[in-house]
Amino acid sequence: MTDLYVGVDVSKEYLDVATSEGLSLRVSNDDAGQQQLVARFSATPPALVLMEATGGLERAIAAQLSAAGIALRIVNARHVRHFAKATGLLAKTDRLDAEALVRFAQTLKPEPRPIAPEQTVALQALIVRRRQLVEMLGMERNRLRTAHRGVRKSLQASIRWLEKRLAEVDGDIDGALRECGAWREKVELLESVPGIARVISVSLLAGLPELGELNRHQISALAGVAPFNRDSGNWRGRRSIYGGRPLVRSALYMAALVGARHNPVLKAFYQRLRQAGKPGKVALTACMRKLLVILNTMLKTGQPWVAQRVAET
């Protein structure tokens, strides 16, 4: 019996569905349409339902399918589009995108992956909101420096409002950690590392829930700090990092920046690379990767930071 694969293209209004058996249908992207799909595929469970990450529009249907025990995988939309072009599917419609997802699933057979728990999704949302508030606060403070006196009062009121909202979000993050003992233990473990503060540790855990579950190569590639070769024949190109998760990369960058100055292990590592002639940006990226590997090992073993032991790994 041939395995059944399903592709679901998600938009704001509709869910376009294609299967490896040739079925094609469209349902509304609301509770009724989602329940219709769950009922259909609960009766004859597919080997895999594949959909793209669409900025959150896929969360509702993914949660319902996952709750029904249906094998599910959410993939990067760019990967699917590159695959479609490589197979000659250049046109792009919702129906064709669903068919491309089916071909992708049939050819590559990605492993099902459970969706993130609600606590993780909530923390991710809080971290993203905090980052937005910090960016807006920085912009308003910069405007205040050169603002005409006619608008200074408005800018000062805006800054006070943003500071209040930022404090509220920080309180919500602390509250979420108090409610989840497992999260709190992981955060405390990461905060034992010099240079890792509360916001950084929560950002890493929320943006990279796989931390502590993968090997060093997998976690580096997932975060986007693994160097990839660019070679052809006798030509050897510069190694460069690619992809990854912006939230995680940003948190790692800030942690490595602080660590290169104040963390004894990272500081020695950074200075050694600089003395070897590596540019500052390259050395700092290497510190990001080294720090990530250390954190991954700490969560995997459950052991806090000890400088001597870490230096020997």
Side-chain angles (χ1 to χ4, degrees):
M1 182 178 178
T2 305
D3 288 334
L4 175 65
Y5 291 94
V6 178
V8 180
D9 182 75
V10 182
S11 65
K12 185 177 181 180
E13 300 293 337
Y14 299 105
L15 299 172
D16 286 270
V17 182
T19 75
S20 55
E21 294 179 344
L23 174 68
S24 180
L25 72 146
R26 165 177 278 193
V27 299
S28 57
N29 190 7
D30 55 20
D31 191 63
Q34 294 160 12
Q35 288 293 340
Q36 183 181 339
L37 287 188
V38 170
R40 176 182 288 270
F41 295 121
S42 293
T44 55
L48 183 70
V49 174
L50 192 73
M51 62 182 70
E52 298 171 338
T54 56
L57 293 176
E58 78 287 353
R59 287 178 190 153
I61 180 60
Q64 298 220 32
L65 290 170
S66 182
I70 297 172
L72 175 71
R73 179 68 180 267
I74 300 174
V75 295
N76 190 311
R78 183 176 64 247
H79 297 167
V80 179
R81 193 64 209 145
H82 288 335
F83 174 85
K85 290 180 178 179
T87 56
L89 188 59
L90 303 182
K92 190 179 189 308
T93 67
D94 293 338
R95 180 180 61 81
L96 291 176
D97 286 349
E99 293 176 1
L101 285 164
V102 172
R103 292 189 193 181
F104 187 99
Q106 283 181 302
T107 304
L108 300 181
K109 294 180 172 57
E111 290 292 325
R113 185 174 293 172
I115 63 172
E118 178 57 30
Q119 288 176 321
T120 300
V121 175
L123 268 175
Q124 289 172 342
L126 286 171
I127 291 298
V128 170
R129 183 55 182 160
R130 187 185 192 281
R131 185 174 181 179
Q132 293 168 347
L133 289 170
V134 169
E135 290 175 355
M136 289 188 287
L137 194 53
M139 288 188 288
E140 290 290 73
R141 285 170 174 166
N142 288 336
R143 294 186 185 106
L144 183 61
R145 292 173 185 171
T146 57
H148 187 274
R149 63 177 179 272
V151 298
R152 291 182 67 85
K153 186 176 181 180
S154 173
L155 284 169
Q156 289 168 344
S158 176
I159 289 171
R160 288 193 298 271
W161 185 89
L162 288 169
E163 288 174 340
K164 186 176 181 180
R165 299 290 83 76
L166 182 60
E168 290 174 354
V169 170
D170 284 339
D172 291 340
I173 292 173
D174 289 338
L177 291 177
R178 285 193 298 271
E179 292 176 5
C180 183
W183 272 92
R184 186 173 63 253
E185 291 173 5
K186 290 182 178 180
V187 166
E188 291 173 353
L189 201 61
L190 296 187
E191 287 180 342
S192 69
V193 180
I196 300 289
R198 172 61 54 87
V199 173
I200 298 295
S201 62
V202 175
S203 298
L204 290 173
L205 290 172
L208 197 62
E210 300 88 350
L211 195 62
E213 299 176 3
L214 304 178
N215 63 42
R216 59 191 300 159
H217 304 294
Q218 293 170 327
I219 202 68
S220 297
L222 197 59
V225 294
F228 293 100
N229 297 349
R230 294 181 60 87
D231 301 336
S232 179
N234 294 326
W235 180 76
R236 296 292 179 267
R238 294 178 60 185
R239 275 50 176 163
S240 60
I241 60 176
Y242 177 79
R245 301 175 182 176
L247 178 66
V248 174
R249 292 255 306 257
S250 176
L252 276 175
Y253 174 80
M254 294 306 300
L257 194 63
V258 174
R261 299 175 183 174
H262 305 290
N263 185 305
V265 174
L266 289 182
K267 183 176 181 180
F269 181 65
Y270 178 81
Q271 292 176 345
R272 186 166 69 249
L273 291 176
R274 294 291 282 143
Q275 290 169 2
K278 298 294 183 182
K281 187 177 292 186
V282 172
L284 193 59
T285 302
C287 286
M288 291 167 62
R289 185 168 60 255
K290 184 176 182 66
L291 176 60
L292 180 64
V293 171
I294 291 171
L295 299 178
N296 190 58
T297 302
M298 287 172 57
L299 287 183
K300 188 176 293 186
T301 61
Q303 296 182 340
W305 169 272
V306 176
Q308 183 177 358
R309 184 186 68 240
V310 171
E312 292 171 353
T313 59

